[in-house]
Structures are given as structure tokens and as C-alpha cells.
């Protein structure tokens, strides 16, 4: 194997460039000189034999597509000097398995590691998975997240269509908006009790996900958090939840029952809509504001025996509801509670109402 430098260096601009004619040489290793501060766009694009690249601590910028389509590259070390990595910098590198990032503050472009399949992320200083970092990695099946990570940011793993498994370390405190959205093969994810916040649509359209067990540390269930997770069979809400966002569990078509803790004050619009098998709803609070169409398209409903109030709009437009038995504890049915229930043929109203 050839192991040598074939670099040209522009002294005045301190930029690294390379002669395109060397692209088709069987070069397996390239060491970038310390005189360079930037790796230009497309500079190593298409070096298909390249297995290893040594980036010196003088490099600050890695350009767009700088190492794209280096299909033999297996390992990359990003020194702490690097402050910016451009779009698609390592795309088309399916054999990359280990990524070491020394800096805690790097500006990442989009689709940097698209086409990578199994990644071990190594970093002692990196504290967050930056937004969009692995978005669109359509071949990624597994990733190991280091214990230094405290935050998974917006869209970090969005559209990782083949991601089957991910372990979130207990060091993580927050998961950002759409972080795992459309990870359509993700079957299980264990959310540690260290999590304090999960953003909107975080697991939306994870269609193979079986369970949605939310840690007790989470107080607010954000909008669309598990929307269209059509394989979810069980949902367990934290006992201290205070609100359930709009469309939070809409389209979870296999769930059959749900318990709403007494601490919940707000159930958002369409939060459990399009759940046709949902037939038991236990609401332990008498002081809850329920949004429109919260249970639209649910099936036969059994309510908690100690409820005293049927809130307004709770079953509005629940067109699949055919009959319902209201508990004897109920004393009031508010306005529009069953408005638009076009298939409702039987309702048993207790004498105390």
C-alpha cells in the first residue's frame, strides 16, 4: 500500500488543496501538514482507497464534502482545534465505525455522516449530540453514545431509517425536538430517569416502536411526542405529569387503555385521536382541561369509577364510539362532551347527573 503525502499548500491563504489527478491512486493514508488551517471543499472527495487520514491540531475548518465518498475510510479523529465541519463532509463513507471528536464546541453542517452504518462516538469533552448531526444517516443501524453527553439536540437522529437500537446514557438530561423522528425501524428505546425534557415530535413516526414508557422525571409531555407510532401497544405516563400536548399519542393505533394521573391539568387537542382500539380511559383528575377531539376515533369507552365530571369536548367527533357507560360517581356532563358522536347508539346516564 502507498503511504505518503501528495499535498499542495498555498502559503498565503493557508488552505489545503490537492491535485485531482491523484484521486485514482491507491492511496491508503494521508497526513495533512501542520502548516494548513483549512481543508477545502471536495479536497479528498472520491479517494476510494483512503483508509486513514491524520488531521493536525492546526486545522480549524473542514469544508463541504471534504472526505465524501472515501468508501474505505474506517476511523476519523477530529482535533480540538476544529470549529466547523461542512455539509456532507464524510458522506458516502459507509465503513466509518469510530468517530473521535476532541472539541466540545463544533459547528456541524447537514448530513455529515450520511451512509455510515455503525458508529461508536468517542469524546471526553463533547457534551451534546449537535442538531442534525446524524440526520439522514439512512444506513446507520447502531450507535454508541459516550457518557459525557448531556443533551441530544434537535433532529440529531432524524430519518435514520435503519436505526434499530440506541442506548441513551444516564448522563443525558434532554432530548430535543424531532431527535428520533422517522426512525422507522427503531423497536425499543430506554429513556433514563435522568431525562428532564423531551422536545416536540421527538419520536414521531417511529412506526416499529413497541412501548412508550416515559420516566417519572418528565413533567410535560410535549406536542406530537409519539404521534403515529403505530406499533406502540403500551403507554405509561409519569405519575407527576401536568400536561399532555396536542397530538401527543395520536395515531398510536394499537393502544387499548390509558391512565391519566391526577396531576394532569391539560390534555391537548387530538392527543389520543386515531387510536381505534383505545377502549379504556382512566382519568383520575376532576380538574382537567381537555382539548377538542382529544379522543376522536376511540372505541368503546370505560371510564374511571370515581370521576365526578365529564369535561367539555372530551369525546367530540369520536365517530367510532357506539356506546358508553358513565360511572355512577359522575354528577355533571359539560357542554359538547359527545358532540359529533354520530355512531353513538347507547349511553347510560347515572341518576346523580
Amino acid at each position: 500500500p502507498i503511504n505518503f503525502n501528495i499535498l499542495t499548500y498555498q502559503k498565503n491563504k493557508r488552505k489545503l488543496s490537492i491535485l485531482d489527478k491523484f484521486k485514482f491512486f491507491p492511496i491508503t493514508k494521508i497526513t495533512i501538514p501542520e502548516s494548513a488551517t483549512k481543508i477545502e471543499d471536495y479536497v479528498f472527495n472520491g479517494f476510494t482507497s483512503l483508509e486513514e487520514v491524520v488531521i493536525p491540531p492546526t486545522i480549524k475548518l473542514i469544508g463541504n464534502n471534504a472526505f465524501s465518498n472515501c468508501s474505505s475510510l474506517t476511523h476519523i479523529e477530529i482535533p480540538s482545534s476544529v470549529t466547523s465541519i461542512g455539509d456532507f463532509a464524510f458522506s458516502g463513507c459507509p465503513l466509518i465505525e469510530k468517530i473521535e471528536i476532541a472539541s466540545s464546541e463544533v459547528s456541524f453542517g447537514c448530513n455529515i455522516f450520511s451512509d455510515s452504518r455503525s458508529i461508536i462516538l468517542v469524546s471526553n469533552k463533547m457534551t451534546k449530540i449537535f442538531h442534525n448531526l446524524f440526520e439522514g444517516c439512512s444506513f446507520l443501524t447502531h450507535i454508541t453514545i459516550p457518557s459525557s453527553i448531556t443533551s441530544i439536540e434537535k433532529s440529531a437522529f432524524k430519518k435514520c431509517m435503519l436505526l434499530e437500537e440506541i442506548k441513551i446514557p444516564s448522563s443525558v438530561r434532554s432530548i430535543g425536538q424531532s431527535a428520533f423522528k422517522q426512525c422507522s425501524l427503531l423497536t425499543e428505546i430506554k429513556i433514563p430517569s435522568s431525562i428532564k425534557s423531551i422536545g416536540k415530535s421527538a419520536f414521531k413516526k417511529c412506526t416499529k416502536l413497541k412501548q412508550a414508557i416515559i420516566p417519572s422525571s418528565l413533567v410535560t409531555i410535549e406536542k406530537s411526542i409519539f404521534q403515529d407510532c403505530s406499533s406502540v401497544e403500551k403507554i405509561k405516563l409519569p405519575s407527576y405529569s401536568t400536561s399532555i400536548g396536542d397530538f401527543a399519542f395520536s395515531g398510536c393505533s394499537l393502544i387499548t387503555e390509558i391512565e391519566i394521573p391526577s396531576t394532569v391539568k391539560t390534555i391537548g387537542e387530538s392527543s389520543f385521536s386515531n387510536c381505534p382500539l383505545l377502549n379504556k380511559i382512566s382519568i383520575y383528575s376532576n380538574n382537567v382541561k381537555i382539548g377538542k377531539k382529544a379522543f376522536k376515533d376511540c372505541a368503546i369507552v370505560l371510564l374511571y369509577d370515581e370521576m365526578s365530571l365529564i369535561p367539555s369536548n372530551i369525546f367530540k367527533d369520536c365517530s367510532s364510539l357506539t356506546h358508553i357507560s358513565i360511572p355512577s360517581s359522575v354528577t355533571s356532563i359539560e357542554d359538547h362532551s359527545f358532540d359529533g358522536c354520530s355512531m353513538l347508539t347507547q349511553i347510560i346516564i347515572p341518576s346523580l347527573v
Side-chain angles (χ1 to χ4, degrees), residues 167-312:
K167 294 181 180 179
I168 300 176
S170 59
S171 56
V172 175
R173 299 289 182 267
S174 64
I175 297 175
Q177 179 178 334
S178 301
F180 296 94
K181 183 178 178 180
Q182 291 178 268
C183 292
S184 53
L185 288 188
L186 190 64
T187 57
E188 181 180 1
I189 187 161
K190 294 181 180 179
I191 304 173
S193 58
S194 58
I195 296 291
K196 302 300 182 185
S197 66
I198 300 178
K200 300 174 184 177
S201 304
F203 302 99
K204 183 178 180 180
K205 294 187 177 181
C206 291
T207 53
K208 297 293 184 182
L209 198 63
K210 296 290 186 181
Q211 291 188 345
I213 299 177
I214 304 168
S216 58
S217 54
L218 197 67
V219 174
T220 301
I221 311 298
E222 290 285 359
K223 178 179 179 180
S224 300
I225 185 171
F226 288 101
Q227 184 178 356
D228 294 328
C229 291
S230 55
S231 295
V232 165
E233 299 173 353
K234 181 180 179 181
I235 294 173
K236 185 177 181 180
L237 297 178
S239 55
Y240 296 104
S241 297
T242 58
S243 64
I244 300 172
D246 297 347
F247 298 93
F249 302 98
S250 176
C252 293
S253 54
L254 295 184
I255 62 170
T256 59
E257 62 180 284
I258 187 72
E259 294 186 1
I260 310 294
S262 60
T263 52
V264 171
K265 303 302 180 185
T266 305
I267 299 176
E269 181 177 340
S270 299
S271 52
F272 294 94
S273 63
N274 299 315
C275 298
L277 299 183
L278 182 58
N279 57 45
K280 184 176 181 180
I281 302 166
S282 299
I283 300 177
Y284 293 87
S285 174
N286 290 323
N287 184 24
V288 58
K289 181 180 179 182
I290 299 179
K292 295 179 180 179
K293 304 179 182 180
F295 298 97
K296 183 179 183 291
D297 294 324
C298 65
I300 301 170
V301 175
L302 299 175
L303 299 174
Y304 177 50
D305 288 340
E306 295 182 13
M307 286 183 70
S308 62
L309 175 72
I310 304 295
S312 62

Side-chain angles (χ1 to χ4, degrees), residues 61-77:
L61 304 174
I62 299 176
N64 299 335
N65 296 86
F67 296 93
S68 59
N69 301 309
C70 292
S71 54
S72 298
L73 194 62
T74 60
H75 172 218
I76 190 73
E77 295 183 24

